[in-house]
Amino acid sequence: MLILITYDVSTIDSEGRRRLSKVAKKCVDYGQRVQNSVFECILDAAQFRRLRFELEELIDKDTDSLRFYNLGDNYKSKVQHVGAKDSYDMGDPLIL
């Protein structure tokens, strides 16, 4: 299933900037960045639960926020893109 993750991490102090970096790095481990604080991740239910738990452990719930949008398995008809930075289809094979 495609999970869209967005976050807003307060960066008014150095600890916030560290949290922001950690959240971004964790999201990169699971998906692709499509905008500054937006990631698309193809996950199964167990991976999603693990990622959500890991992200919740990283943020300060008093100043930061996370949003998770479950677009399901039939996401291709639900996502439209206009402009720069085309994303790749994470379901296709990756050739290095």
Side-chain angles (χ1 to χ4, degrees):
M1 67 186 149
L2 177 66
I3 305 292
L4 186 72
I5 301 171
T6 68
Y7 54 85
D8 187 18
V9 176
S10 174
T11 57
I12 60 173
D13 59 21
S14 61
E15 183 57 36
R17 290 186 290 277
R18 279 192 289 277
R19 286 194 314 276
L20 176 64
S21 177
K22 289 178 182 180
V23 168
K25 287 178 183 176
K26 184 56 64 179
C27 288
V28 166
D29 290 345
Y30 286 86
Q32 68 175 324
R33 183 188 302 260
V34 293
Q35 291 185 351
N36 285 339
S37 296
V38 181
F39 282 80
E40 293 177 347
C41 304
I42 302 291
L43 306 169
D44 61 32
Q47 290 170 319
F48 174 54
R49 282 191 303 273
R50 181 174 50 250
L51 175 56
R52 182 175 173 154
F53 174 80
E54 291 172 354
L55 290 172
E56 287 182 24
E57 290 294 305
L58 293 175
I59 68 164
D60 178 341
K61 293 179 182 172
D62 292 329
T63 61
D64 307 334
S65 69
L66 293 166
R67 287 182 178 258
F68 302 94
Y69 300 89
N70 185 340
L71 298 179
D73 292 324
N74 298 317
Y75 60 88
K76 290 183 182 182
S77 65
K78 298 175 185 174
V79 177
Q80 298 178 17
H81 175 263
V82 176
K85 297 184 181 180
D86 266 340
S87 60
Y88 61 90
D89 186 342
M90 293 179 290
D92 287 345
L94 182 62
I95 300 172
L96 300 173

